[in-house]
Amino acid sequence: MNTILVVNAGSSSVKFQVFGIEDTAELKRLIKGQIDGIGVKPRLRASNADGRTVIDQTLEAGKAADVAAALHVVADWLRQEVRTSPMAIGHRVVHGGPDYDQAVIVDEGVLRRLEKLAPLAPLHQPNNLAPIRAIRARFPQLPQVACFDTAFHRGHSALADRYAVPERLYAEGVRRYGFHGLSYEYIASALPRVAPKVAGGRVIVAHLGSGASMCALAGGRSVESTLGFTALDGLPMGTRCGQLDPGVVLYLIDQKGMSAAAVQDLLYRDSGLKGLSGVGNDVRDLLASSDPRARFALDYFVYRAALHAGMLAAALGGLDALVFTAGIGENSPEIRARIVEKMAWLGAAIDPAANASPRPLISAPESRVAVLVIPTDEELMIARHTLALLSAIGGRAGRRIA
């Protein structure tokens, strides 16, 4: 069976999945795994399609000293133990900039353009691109596909896309891109199956995790997002500040004497729930904490989510459904309930019993807004885009990992 490898690389971990391509051109998930603790205490874990663990091994630090080395470990394990060599690799790339509104096969020119966007996504872009470089060096003929978190939002109207800055800056690419697009695209594709009555209507999707944003869907298409030029805007996140008056940045530089690098570090790594609470950035820890700062951080998160939901409902001209997804959205009934409570003015109401269950529909019978929980699947979207591009070029595949 031909396979596609999906890679989502971070600074200290590489998540990967292997999808088989069946005769019907359907994708079947075969392997799901990750290697984390890169450079310190690497650990390779993976499970098969049935959820059974097929490897859980701690490695010597030198064997996975960086992301490139970790990916070689994964490739060798897939070839030797799983006996699969992918015909292509799909990668999550956070920022596609103004040049890319859909997935693209990576060549040297594409890679150079994407590397220039690193300052707009410093936590993600360099780590997303590192394995692409490593694989190109070792297997230059193996097709690699970049799938962008910004692409799903590129159909926004000019009113949603622009900032009130001079035209020359817009022409240079200073615009509202939006992120988490692979997640929103998956939810849009799943809604006709999960909730057909609202799939074509006015839907807000709340992708709530360590990185958090919300998106307005009309007829399954993105029309507005809480994230903009970079992944700092909108909702407060685990360590990122969310919406911020630009004057704060000017103040930090002019009055506090901070360098641009120091401001970047503050806003990306030491703000958000971590900065507000002084306790940490994990919602589970904050919910369990008795520290009043932890409670305040969660109150702030809920308040801002409800505020942005109102903004998105205005963009849609009303609301038919609210969908929660990602780590917090899928796993925290308390946060879901608190956000919906603040959206009662829109006609949203939650059923406590349903909210505590694994059912997708959690709204109360009297709710005028359908409230749902739908697990996201960004990796499947990446595999779909990769397969579509391979099909578009006639199924030509390069050298496999061997």
Side-chain angles (χ1 to χ4, degrees):
M1 176 185 290
N2 286 327
T3 60
I4 289 171
L5 174 63
V6 170
V7 174
N8 185 349
S11 60
S12 62
S13 67
V14 175
K15 297 178 182 178
F16 63 92
Q17 295 194 30
V18 177
F19 291 85
I21 306 171
E22 299 184 319
D23 292 338
T24 57
E26 292 295 315
L27 290 161
K28 179 181 180 182
R29 198 183 325 265
L30 303 176
I31 295 291
K32 178 178 181 179
Q34 69 180 59
I35 182 166
D36 50 25
I38 293 172
V40 182
K41 191 176 181 180
R43 182 183 179 190
L44 174 61
R45 291 173 287 169
S47 57
N48 63 13
D50 298 324
R52 181 176 60 84
T53 298
V54 290
I55 188 171
D56 188 344
Q57 181 180 347
T58 299
L59 311 171
E60 295 178 10
K63 288 191 175 180
D66 54 27
V67 169
L71 199 61
H72 289 325
V73 170
V74 170
D76 290 343
W77 176 73
L78 289 173
R79 183 184 69 249
Q80 296 169 10
E81 302 298 328
V82 186
R83 300 185 183 279
T84 183
S85 295
M87 63 188 299
I89 302 178
H91 298 264
R92 178 195 178 206
V93 177
V94 165
H95 215 309
D99 294 332
Y100 301 107
D101 61 359
Q102 58 185 347
V104 63
I105 292 180
V106 178
D107 59 23
E108 190 60 30
V110 169
L111 195 50
R112 284 198 300 268
R113 286 192 288 274
L114 295 179
E115 287 172 339
K116 290 180 180 179
L117 297 171
L120 305 187
L123 296 187
H124 302 90
Q125 197 85 348
N127 298 316
N128 296 159
L129 300 180
I132 300 178
R133 275 277 181 215
I135 293 166
R136 278 181 61 78
R138 189 174 178 185
F139 306 105
Q141 300 306 313
L142 180 67
Q144 297 190 80
V145 175
C147 302
F148 304 105
D149 264 337
T150 50
F152 186 62
H153 304 294
R154 290 301 307 281
H156 285 182
S157 71
L159 291 176
D161 196 38
R162 298 287 293 266
Y163 288 111
V165 296
E167 174 72 24
R168 67 179 183 277
L169 291 175
Y170 179 79
E172 291 172 10
V174 179
R175 60 190 71 179
R176 299 187 69 251
Y177 292 101
F179 297 89
H180 296 132
L182 291 164
S183 176
Y184 294 129
E185 186 178 11
Y186 175 78
I187 298 300
S189 73
L191 274 170
R193 169 178 53 84
V194 178
K197 290 183 179 180
V198 298
R202 302 163 299 181
V203 180
I204 293 174
V205 184
H207 177 105
L208 307 181
S210 180
S213 69
M214 301 171 80
C215 174
L217 300 179
R221 297 176 63 85
S222 172
V223 298
E224 184 58 270
S225 170
T226 59
L227 282 170
F229 182 57
T230 70
L232 277 177
D233 203 3
L235 304 180
M237 297 169 242
T239 63
R240 284 172 266 166
C241 60
Q243 186 180 30
L244 187 75
D245 183 336
V248 175
V249 177
L250 299 178
Y251 169 80
L252 293 173
I253 293 172
D254 184 53
Q255 299 298 314
K256 303 294 287 185
M258 295 177 67
S259 67
V263 172
Q264 175 176 283
D265 197 55
L266 171 70
L267 300 184
Y268 274 99
R269 294 180 171 85
D270 288 321
S271 297
L273 297 178
K274 177 184 178 183
L276 283 170
S277 71
V279 174
N281 63 296
D282 192 310
V283 165
R284 292 167 296 187
D285 295 337
L286 299 181
L287 286 169
S289 175
S290 60
D291 192 315
R293 297 175 301 166
R295 291 196 297 274
F296 178 80
L298 293 175
D299 289 345
Y300 186 89
F301 181 78
V302 168
Y303 174 67
R304 289 288 163 181
L307 281 182
H308 282 88
M311 177 192 76
L312 296 177
L316 290 167
L319 187 61
D320 300 311
L322 170 67
V323 179
F324 289 100
T325 195
I328 301 167
E330 295 171 25
N331 298 301
S332 180
E334 180 175 338
I335 296 297
R336 293 196 299 258
R338 292 178 61 184
I339 292 172
V340 173
E341 182 180 11
K342 288 188 175 296
M343 295 174 61
W345 64 278
L346 283 166
I350 211 163
D351 180 330
N355 188 34
S357 77
R359 283 178 279 173
L361 183 65
I362 63 171
S363 45
E366 69 273 14
S367 180
R368 299 196 305 273
V369 174
V371 183
L372 301 120
V373 180
I374 302 177
T376 193
D377 198 336
E378 295 161 302
E379 289 77 15
L380 179 58
M381 288 309 311
I382 294 169
R384 286 175 178 173
H385 285 305
T386 302
L387 180 59
L389 273 178
L390 290 180
S391 300
I393 61 174
R396 298 193 301 273
R399 179 184 173 190
R400 302 183 181 202
I401 293 179

